[in-house]
Amino acid sequence: MGSMHTGFESRPDGVERLAAFYAERARGGAALIVTGGFSPNDAGNLGPHRAQFSTAEDRERHRPIPAAVHAEGGRIALQLLHSGRYGFHDRIVAPSPLKAPINAHVPRELSAAEIEQTIDDFARAATLAREAGYDGVEIMGSEGYLVSQFLAGRTNRRADEWGGPLANRMRFPAEIVRRTRAATGPDFLIVYRISALELVEGGLSGEETAALACAVEAAGATLLNTGIGWHEARIPTIAQAVPRGAFAWATRRLKQAVRIPVIASNRINAPELAEEIVARGDADLVSLARAMLSDPQFAAKARSGDRAGINVCIACNQACLDHYFIGEPVSCVVNPRAGRETKLFFARATTRKRIAVIGGGPAGLACAANAAERGHAVTLYEKAAGLGGQFNLAKRVPGKQEFGESIAYYEERLKRAGVEVLLNQAPQPSDLEAFDETVIATGIAPRLPAIAGVGHSKVVSYVDVLAGRASVGREVVILGMGGIGFDVALYLLERDGRAPLEPAAFEAHWGITRDPKAPGGLAPGGIPALAPGLRLTMMKRSATPFGHTLGRTTGWVHRAELARHGVRMMKSVEYLKIDDAGVHVRLEGNALVVPADTVVLCTGQLPHRPLEGRHVIGGAREAGELDAKRAMLEGAQLAARL
Ligand code: SF4
């Protein structure tokens, strides 16, 4: 299980929750777990709150974490991460005083003496980790943090023995590994997380990365784990836009350079894919992080061949990375118990109740599955011909095909739990009288805005577009710029099969090259321009920034894609009317007409509640954005109480 910041690292009850979180994954078969990042000193903290491992008190506080993992038969390494110029506080340091494009804080340049001290801090933290019971440490040398900043000419402008030629720039990571090995002895795991592909200008080339791999191997690393891309890279590395296993080839390059085992990572979310990567010889091991958030038993299920029983990570980032970046503990959209191991329990029901769940979307699925597994007799009504609700629309958006995995998983879970599923059925109140509990999970209905001409034949709803029922012309206006507006735009732009779903197409689309001499792994021409296939305008009434409701870690990918397609965006717009000519609006006091063959309404949702009941969850209770995260959480929490 690869490292992920959970947000618990800096919380007062963090150790207890981390112990429960990791123990659950060890119980589920994870062979080796790597914790989220802890800094070896004050300057290296990632956020304003202390997530540090550097003192005897830290050692004592952490003891329950490795103990809990060992009790389940697992092994655990503590990740040591110095954020360098990526820290969000005013004490940050770096090899050179260059501001990161993703951070407002400017780092202070480290003196030569401070560099020596920082290396010693890593070694001391590793010693303390060993004393706390950890089986090893992972030195975080990828994603653009301090170690990466020493390695790349982009961020290291030093003229002393720590800068200049590659041999000097590699001195910092090699010394960290060497002194850590000397301090912890020969039988302690030292995992070095290497940036297999930098994806930034002025980043290391493939050849330089291979040389670095050899240097850390010689310095005493036990395992080489891989990371892809710096956080400031403008190429997606873990989002849904990235094909599964897209970067395994970069790991293969390292495996060929060293003798120690090499670990592949990034967008590996299914056992058959993990197997393929190892069988092909791209890596010796695979590391999954989010996939073990969505299913803590991933490894055990993979081992027993229970593929259908795996709750696959859909790479949405909504409840994991996006949470971390707004200061909330991580969880998982499709597994709300993740991160709530000490709070959300599904105990066996003392009384078996008859429960009707109306609606087979995300909220209803989560409620029905968990309630039935607790021992209740559950009947699930769904008015459509299949389960999944809004997930069925989401899975049609380019890059969101993974939502289909969630539908299949929950269908399987309902079957195993003995839920009676009644499709094509919308029950009447009289049908529900025999039940002890009724759960209304009937979802949302699209909101129809009050605009003159909204009934024009060229006006269609996002539901009809995504379901493939509407015919859409080449000149399109989308009203509404929430997540659905962006999804519809991507769907329309890439509906002609232009979405880069295969690794080779993905590399061409984003300007990635496998040439081992290319700095950062970037193609010389950069990210290529796209020929516009459609004239698309998006507009909204509010003055808020474009795409401000999109996920913190994925919104930029959507915005970048739309910009490349030449999509025009308008805000602070007053809608006047829709007619044969197009959409009439007022913008900054001026009336204008935006021509349109088709106008797509993405103007919000309203709760759809054809029945009343004691329990109302998901969109039927509150319709905001299409919020699967809240829907599934409400479904699971209610199921735990029923
Ligand atoms: Fe995966 Fe989304 Fe869950 Fe994160 S929230 S672990 S990306 S399914």
Side-chain angles (χ1 to χ4, degrees):
M1 177 177 177
S3 173
M4 260 191 101
H5 306 307
T6 62
F8 297 128
E9 289 80 11
S10 54
R11 291 171 84 95
D13 62 348
V15 164
E16 182 203 348
R17 296 184 67 173
L18 284 174
F21 175 78
Y22 291 126
E24 188 148 323
R25 271 88 196 151
R27 194 157 52 244
L32 172 64
I33 292 169
V34 183
T35 68
F38 288 90
S39 174
N41 61 27
D42 176 59
N45 273 291
L46 195 48
H49 304 296
R50 185 178 188 276
Q52 199 171 318
F53 190 89
S54 58
T55 65
E57 292 78 55
D58 294 326
R59 176 188 63 202
E60 296 310 310
R61 212 164 39 85
H62 270 243
R63 284 191 191 280
I65 299 174
V69 169
H70 292 159
E72 299 294 348
R75 294 281 178 271
I76 184 162
L78 180 87
Q79 190 188 66
L80 295 176
L81 179 154
H82 190 303
S83 60
R85 70 178 193 161
Y86 279 175
F88 293 101
H89 54 84
D90 55 13
R91 307 178 304 284
I92 59 174
V93 294
S96 301
L98 303 168
K99 191 179 96 59
I102 55 171
N103 195 354
H105 298 279
V106 182
R108 183 175 61 74
E109 180 174 299
L110 284 164
S111 69
E114 286 173 323
I115 293 173
E116 293 285 353
Q117 183 59 53
T118 303
I119 296 169
D120 286 342
D121 291 342
F122 271 93
R124 172 170 159 73
T127 308
L128 291 167
R130 177 168 198 155
E131 291 167 3
Y134 284 106
D135 302 287
V137 288
E138 177 171 272
I139 310 290
M140 182 47 156
S142 70
E143 327 295 305
Y145 292 114
L146 182 71
V147 173
S148 299
Q149 292 158 27
F150 266 92
L151 285 162
R154 164 189 185 83
T155 40
N156 184 345
R157 305 280 164 81
R158 301 182 72 95
D160 60 7
E161 61 175 332
W162 304 101
L166 181 64
N168 279 6
R169 286 180 275 131
M170 290 195 315
R171 196 185 308 280
F172 185 67
E175 270 302 291
I176 290 174
V177 175
R178 193 185 65 73
R179 289 188 210 174
T180 299
R181 174 58 72 210
T184 56
D187 58 346
F188 190 61
L189 273 179
I190 300 178
V191 187
Y192 183 83
R193 183 100 185 254
I194 193 167
S195 186
L197 194 60
E198 305 260 77
L199 302 182
V200 287
E201 283 171 27
L204 297 190
S205 69
E207 283 179 352
E208 290 172 324
T209 305
L212 169 66
C214 296
V216 296
E217 177 181 39
T222 328
L223 291 165
L224 205 58
N225 194 3
T226 50
I228 303 291
W230 290 33
H231 286 318
E232 67 201 65
R234 294 290 86 191
I235 295 172
T237 57
I238 56 168
Q240 288 172 323
V242 180
R244 289 181 177 185
F247 300 110
W249 61 270
T251 304
R252 182 186 188 88
R253 199 152 63 184
L254 294 174
K255 181 167 157 50
Q256 288 166 345
V258 295
R259 288 182 306 278
I260 53 175
V262 177
I263 308 171
S265 70
N266 283 54
R267 282 292 273 129
I268 302 170
N269 62 348
E272 63 276 13
L273 173 64
E275 175 68 16
E276 199 183 301
I277 288 169
V278 175
R280 204 167 47 215
D282 290 350
D284 301 287
L285 298 103
V286 290
S287 157
L288 299 83
R290 294 175 298 173
M292 290 206 184
L293 216 57
S294 61
D295 197 331
Q297 293 177 314
F298 183 101
K301 290 174 183 171
R303 183 182 292 141
S304 68
D306 184 14
R307 171 65 173 82
I310 292 179
N311 193 3
V312 170
C313 165
I314 57 174
C316 65
N317 286 1
Q318 258 182 289
C320 51
L321 293 181
D322 286 348
H323 269 206
Y324 179 76
F325 284 104
I326 56 169
E328 282 186 30
V330 302
S331 184
C332 172
V333 168
V334 296
N335 173 25
R337 194 177 131 79
R340 296 187 177 89
E341 286 77 11
T342 59
K343 296 187 182 312
L344 182 57
F345 297 98
F346 301 101
R348 194 80 194 154
T350 45
T351 315
R352 180 176 162 89
K353 295 181 188 171
R354 291 204 60 201
I355 299 174
V357 177
I358 327 298
L365 290 173
C367 184
N370 285 300
E373 284 162 3
R374 291 188 55 218
H376 294 307
V378 179
T379 300
L380 176 62
Y381 292 90
E382 168 54 52
K383 74 169 191 264
L387 295 172
Q390 300 291 323
F391 274 12
N392 285 303
L393 293 182
K395 76 177 188 195
R396 300 179 64 91
V397 176
K400 292 198 173 184
Q401 297 81 352
E402 298 279 15
F403 277 93
E405 287 275 5
S406 298
I407 301 173
Y409 163 75
Y410 273 93
E411 278 172 347
E412 178 68 19
R413 217 172 128 185
L414 296 184
K415 196 162 79 188
R416 292 183 189 186
V419 173
E420 182 186 24
V421 177
L422 302 177
L423 298 175
N424 299 305
Q425 294 212 27
Q428 298 304 309
S430 57
D431 298 324
L432 303 174
E433 283 165 7
F435 291 95
D436 302 311
E437 305 275 6
T438 303
V439 179
I440 308 298
T442 39
I444 53 90
R447 198 179 69 81
L448 197 65
I451 304 172
V454 78
H456 194 284
S457 60
K458 68 171 61 172
V459 179
V460 296
S461 142
Y462 70 87
V463 176
D464 294 326
V465 173
L466 291 177
R469 292 195 293 260
S471 105
V472 179
R474 303 311 288 181
E475 192 144 44
V476 181
V477 173
I478 294 176
L479 305 190
M481 295 184 67
I484 297 167
F486 277 82
D487 276 354
V488 167
L490 274 183
Y491 170 80
L492 292 174
L493 290 165
E494 296 179 351
R495 69 184 154 163
D496 302 329
R498 291 150 56 113
L501 301 176
E502 298 303 323
F506 171 78
E507 287 158 31
H509 186 81
W510 288 101
I512 299 169
T513 174
R514 298 189 184 194
D515 177 357
K517 295 192 184 310
L522 300 179
I527 298 178
L530 299 175
L534 180 76
R535 269 214 297 281
L536 182 55
T537 305
M538 299 176 73
M539 55 177 72
K540 62 176 183 173
R541 283 193 298 216
S542 79
T544 48
F546 297 123
H548 77 294
T549 59
L550 301 176
R552 281 290 288 268
T553 59
T554 52
W556 68 270
V557 183
H558 291 136
R559 282 190 292 268
E561 280 291 76
L562 266 45
R564 291 174 71 194
H565 281 285
V567 173
R568 180 182 176 202
M569 297 189 185
M570 300 163 69
K571 60 182 174 181
S572 305
V573 163
E574 183 188 347
Y575 303 137
L576 300 176
K577 66 173 178 181
I578 301 167
D579 64 13
D580 290 347
V583 183
H584 296 245
V585 299
R586 193 178 339 264
L587 182 64
E588 294 171 351
N590 302 315
L592 60 115
V593 185
V594 183
D597 304 323
T598 307
V599 177
V600 188
L601 300 179
C602 302
T603 41
Q605 301 82 35
L606 298 169
H608 173 64
R609 213 155 54 212
L611 290 167
E612 292 304 327
R614 179 146 162 241
H615 309 288
V616 184
I617 56 174
R621 189 179 72 76
E622 187 188 326
E625 278 282 311
L626 288 190
D627 193 346
K629 178 178 73 176
R630 181 173 57 79
M632 290 207 133
L633 175 60
E634 287 181 9
Q637 286 175 327
L638 174 62
R641 290 197 306 271
L642 284 172

